[in-house]
Amino acid sequence: MTQPLAPTGAPDVHDALPDEEYSLPRAEALLAGTLALMTGHAQACCDTHRQAMGRKIVSNLQMLAHTGMFTPHFGTMLRNLQDRWSALACNARPDAGAAHDAPARALSAAEQRRALWVPAPEVVQ
C-alpha cells in the first residue's frame, strides 16, 4: 500500500516526519547551522554570546570551504565570508579597536541599535 499523495504529487511529508526531524547531508546541515548562527549573531543581546557565535561562524565557514562538496566559485565565496567574519570576530574582542571606539563599546547592543534611530520631531504639524 502506498502513501497518499499531496496535491503536488509528492508524498505527504507530515505523515513521514511527524516530529519534524530532518535528515540533511553533512555540508547542508553545517550550512544551515551556520546561517542560524549568523541570525543569532545579528540578534544577540550581549557581546559575550556574539563573540562565541562569531568564532563558531568562522570555524563553520572554514570547514564548509574545505569540504570539496561545492563548486569552486562557491568555495571562493565561502573563503571570502570566512575572511570577513574573521575580521569581524577580531574586532569584536574587548581588547581590540582604537581609543576612539571606547564610547561605542560602552553602549550595549540594544543602545547601539537605538543610537542609529532618527529622533522623533518635537513638533508635528
Side-chain angles (χ1 to χ4, degrees), residues 3-23:
Q3 288 186 348
L5 296 179
T8 61
D12 189 6
V13 177
H14 297 292
D15 290 338
L17 303 170
D19 58 353
E20 295 186 19
E21 182 178 315
Y22 298 102
S23 177

Side-chain angles (χ1 to χ4, degrees), residues 58 61 77-89:
V58 171
L61 288 171
M77 191 253 336
L78 287 169
R79 286 186 289 281
N80 288 340
L81 276 173
Q82 179 192 353
D83 292 342
R84 289 181 183 205
W85 276 94
S86 293
L88 182 67

Side-chain angles (χ1 to χ4, degrees), residues 121-125:
E122 293 183 22
V123 178
V124 178
Q125 294 180 333

Side-chain angles (χ1 to χ4, degrees), residues 3-76:
Q3 288 186 348
L5 296 179
T8 61
D12 189 6
V13 177
H14 297 292
D15 290 338
L17 303 170
D19 58 353
E20 295 186 19
E21 182 178 315
Y22 298 102
S23 177
L24 295 174
R26 182 177 178 269
E28 289 180 14
L30 187 58
L31 181 59
T34 305
L35 292 173
L37 281 169
M38 289 175 173
T39 302
H41 185 275
Q43 297 174 350
C45 62
C46 70
D47 289 335
T48 307
H49 293 136
R50 186 170 279 140
Q51 292 170 13
M53 284 188 266
R55 288 190 304 269
K56 184 61 178 171
I57 290 167
V58 171
S59 172
N60 286 2
L61 288 171
Q62 181 178 14
M63 288 193 306
L64 283 167
H66 297 308
T67 60
M69 304 222 19
F70 300 109
T71 64
H73 295 293
F74 195 77
T76 300

